[in-house]
Amino acid sequence: MVAVKKGKNKVSPALVVNGEKVWTTSFLGGPNNGADAHLPSNMQLDESGIWALLVYLGDKYIP
């Protein structure tokens, strides 16, 4: 998951794993709510404002 702040051209990582902002993670949790696996996650943005969150699975963008 990546984040882009409105009016800026900078792409920032938004996913937080073990207290650290990361671009990606391979950690998956077990089955949850009918899914085979799930990804417990937290997000953190650099500053207040309007942000777009872009989600990718591997190299594939998920709109």
Side-chain angles (χ1 to χ4, degrees), residues 6-63:
K6 185 176 182 179
K8 305 258 180 152
N9 291 327
K10 180 183 172 192
V11 177
S12 302
L15 185 62
V16 177
V17 177
N18 295 325
E20 187 174 328
K21 289 176 72 174
V22 297
W23 291 102
T24 187
T25 183
S26 59
F27 171 76
L28 287 177
N32 189 28
N33 291 329
D36 294 336
H38 72 287
L39 176 65
S41 61
N42 290 310
M43 293 186 305
Q44 181 179 358
L45 302 172
D46 293 333
E47 57 190 68
S48 63
I50 298 173
W51 291 80
L53 299 174
L54 308 173
V55 178
Y56 290 83
L57 289 176
D59 291 334
K60 183 179 177 185
Y61 171 64
I62 307 299

